[in-house]
Amino acid sequence: MFADRAKIIIKSGKGGDGHVSFRREKYVPDGGPDGGDGGRGGDVIFVVDDGLNTLTDYRHRRKFAAEPGQEGGKKNCHGKNGADLVLKVPEGTIIKDAETGKVIADMSADNRRQIVLKGGKGGLGNQHFATSTMQAPKYAQPGQDAIEIEVMLELKVIADVGLVGFPNVGKSTLLSRVTNAKPKIANYHFTTLQPNLGVVDLDGSFGFVIADIPGLIEGASEGIGLGHEFLRHIERTKVMIHMVDAAGTEGRDPVADIKAINKELEAYNPDLLKKPQVIAANKIDAIYGDENEVIENLRNAFEPEGIKVFPISAVSGKGLKELLYEVKNLLEKCPKEVTVYEAEYDPALSFYKDEPYTIERADDAAFVVEGPKIEKMLGYTNIDSEKGFLFFQRFLKEQGILKELEERGIEDGDTVRMYGHEFDYYK
């Protein structure tokens, strides 16, 4: 079975604890604290591997964890950092939070490498806590906790053209004829259980990727049959080819079939019907002449809507050139960029959502916000980057911290201080 979805548990590495020790040497009576810092925990990183086209590797193994950082040692020895966990996925894989369904990362286009979970920072050794009044601190900072979440991996095939139609209308035969793909072909329903990709090369160095989407059935948008597994692959395509049996060998009504499939597409995602469409009326090698009543009905039903009908034979190759060049013309009018889903969720933002915090006014009138979750979030988030800062802002809003600041009377231009970071507040 084609593996285009997998649910797994991923865990970053815990930061190593800081060490408590004191320098003890023969001629150094007052050596002082020398506990080293803990090592950083390993990150969980997803990378695109062009050699993969399924999520099979994640079907039989559920849990993946990065290494924890080592504890700090004596004589200011820094604990070893934990090794990162690198998970390879096919291009087009979307990583979602399993509980909320929100997108964490889309491994498409230029996004070839994404840190999904950052390892915990190592704790500071007791040497960092020595002061003029506390010269022998007997405590050190623990390492930051690991983050563990369940994610859904979902592969959406990246192709320029989606080839759709009811079972057994000849989609696989067409793909094998116009590309170098070698799909399984047989005269029975649901021969294709996974999208097959192939590259169409036309004169003038113009080529495009075409995907044979497995046969749809009515009720697919509700998950009947293998509906959802197949429909998700159409979302990335730019142009759709509806393929029907013009010879009526299955006893079906092609006009009704196309309307039924468009109904399923609309129910799954209304934006799918905004994509350009063409109709390939296949199996004309099995009819007398190049036209018949079926093709005439197709033209009358769909060409007034701007959807052209092309009588073809996937077996003999008749009419394929005209069909492919029309697809080429439609693609040239489409946006060039790949559809990429924006991140909606940062696991670190919700991992510490239930921990308490305090808001107080400092002597200089700054608002001081403190609490374990604030400190941990600052440790996990790179607020120097625009993306990281926006995620941190969203965290403050979702936790109700911004609302409470407003209730405390904060105004534009006021200073907010959080563990060594200062921000100017603007609504």
Side-chain angles (χ1 to χ4, degrees):
M1 178 60 188
F2 178 65
D4 68 351
R5 297 184 85 195
K7 189 180 284 188
I8 62 173
I9 295 171
I10 55 176
K11 182 179 181 180
S12 62
K14 178 189 179 301
D17 295 336
H19 190 69
V20 177
S21 62
F22 297 90
R23 188 178 178 188
R24 292 290 182 262
E25 295 180 30
K26 189 173 182 179
Y27 299 107
V28 187
D30 300 316
D34 68 350
D37 301 342
R40 178 187 59 81
D43 300 335
V44 178
I45 304 170
F46 283 80
V47 298
V48 172
D49 185 336
D50 292 325
L52 297 177
N53 56 18
T54 76
L55 295 169
T56 303
D57 292 347
Y58 303 100
R59 298 283 286 189
H60 306 294
R61 183 180 167 192
R62 280 275 292 154
K63 294 187 176 182
F64 299 83
E67 279 188 359
Q70 287 187 347
E71 182 184 353
K74 298 178 180 179
K75 299 182 179 179
N76 302 327
C77 287
H78 195 289
K80 181 182 177 182
N81 292 336
D84 295 334
L85 172 66
V86 178
L87 299 176
K88 296 179 180 180
V89 293
E91 184 176 6
T93 299
I94 296 178
I95 305 161
K96 295 181 177 180
D97 175 61
E99 183 179 352
T100 64
K102 292 184 177 180
V103 175
I104 297 173
D106 184 353
M107 307 304 294
S108 306
D110 295 331
N111 191 26
R112 310 279 299 178
R113 184 179 187 275
Q114 174 88 33
I115 300 175
V116 172
L117 296 181
K118 286 194 69 66
K121 283 188 175 180
L124 299 177
N126 68 332
Q127 59 173 310
H128 295 277
F129 300 100
T131 66
S132 58
T133 56
M134 173 64 73
Q135 296 184 5
K138 296 180 180 179
Y139 58 88
Q141 186 183 41
Q144 283 185 326
D145 292 334
I147 299 179
E148 179 176 309
I149 61 168
E150 187 174 39
V151 296
M152 173 65 75
L153 306 182
E154 197 172 90
L155 176 60
K156 294 179 188 283
V157 169
I158 297 178
D160 300 305
V161 179
L163 188 57
V164 298
F166 273 75
N168 208 29
V169 295
K171 298 189 301 298
S172 297
T173 303
L174 175 64
L175 189 73
S176 67
R177 178 88 190 192
V178 301
T179 75
N180 59 357
K182 305 296 180 187
K184 181 180 179 182
I185 299 171
N187 191 31
Y188 54 88
H189 290 181
F190 298 108
T191 309
T192 303
L193 287 178
Q194 67 182 66
N196 292 300
L197 295 179
V199 179
V200 176
D201 291 317
L202 298 177
D203 295 337
S205 300
F206 186 94
F208 55 85
V209 178
I210 187 169
D212 163 20
I213 307 297
L216 297 173
I217 61 174
E218 291 185 75
S221 60
E222 301 169 7
I224 295 175
L226 298 172
H228 282 164
E229 279 72 10
F230 295 164
L231 282 165
R232 70 169 52 88
H233 295 295
I234 303 174
E235 291 189 85
R236 305 257 197 196
T237 61
K238 299 174 183 176
V239 173
M240 280 187 290
I241 300 175
H242 276 280
M243 199 162 186
V244 294
D245 178 1
T249 57
E250 293 278 315
R252 304 186 61 88
D253 177 2
V255 173
D257 282 355
I258 293 174
K259 289 183 176 179
I261 286 178
N262 277 338
K263 184 179 178 182
E264 296 301 326
L265 296 177
E266 183 177 27
Y268 181 74
N269 182 350
D271 289 338
L272 294 178
L273 288 189
K274 297 177 183 178
K275 298 177 185 290
Q277 300 183 17
V278 294
I279 295 171
N282 190 30
K283 304 186 182 182
I284 62 170
D285 54 290
I287 67 175
Y288 181 75
D290 294 341
E291 298 276 340
N292 65 359
E293 185 180 352
V294 170
I295 295 172
E296 185 180 343
N297 290 340
L298 287 167
R299 292 192 193 281
N300 292 336
F302 297 104
E303 289 198 341
E305 299 176 16
I307 302 174
K308 293 185 178 181
V309 178
F310 292 86
I312 67 162
S313 169
V315 173
S316 70
K318 191 169 185 177
L320 294 185
K321 184 176 180 181
E322 292 78 7
L323 171 67
L324 295 177
Y325 273 95
E326 173 62 17
V327 171
K328 168 184 175 290
N329 292 334
L330 292 174
L331 284 172
E332 287 178 334
K333 299 173 185 177
C334 294
K336 302 301 179 187
E337 64 273 6
V338 174
T339 300
V340 178
Y341 295 86
E342 291 293 326
E344 305 170 313
Y345 182 84
D346 183 346
L349 294 181
S350 62
F351 194 70
Y352 304 106
K353 63 183 178 182
D354 297 325
E355 295 183 2
Y357 63 88
T358 60
I359 298 177
E360 296 182 357
R361 296 296 293 268
D363 293 339
D364 60 358
F367 289 80
V368 180
V369 185
E370 291 185 340
K373 63 180 174 183
I374 306 293
E375 185 178 16
K376 289 171 182 175
M377 273 308 308
L378 286 169
Y380 281 112
T381 308
N382 179 16
I383 61 173
D384 292 330
S385 71
E386 181 180 2
K387 186 176 179 181
F389 187 71
L390 289 174
F391 270 126
F392 188 67
Q393 277 187 314
R394 187 185 303 170
F395 167 76
L396 296 177
K397 183 176 181 181
E398 289 178 351
Q399 304 309 309
I401 296 173
L402 292 182
K403 182 178 179 180
E404 187 169 339
L405 283 169
E406 291 168 6
E407 291 173 353
R408 295 285 190 96
I410 195 169
E411 297 179 354
D412 284 356
D414 284 350
T415 299
V416 179
R417 189 173 298 134
M418 302 178 186
Y419 293 98
H421 297 273
E422 288 194 355
F423 311 95
D424 291 332
Y425 174 85
Y426 289 99
K427 191 170 182 180

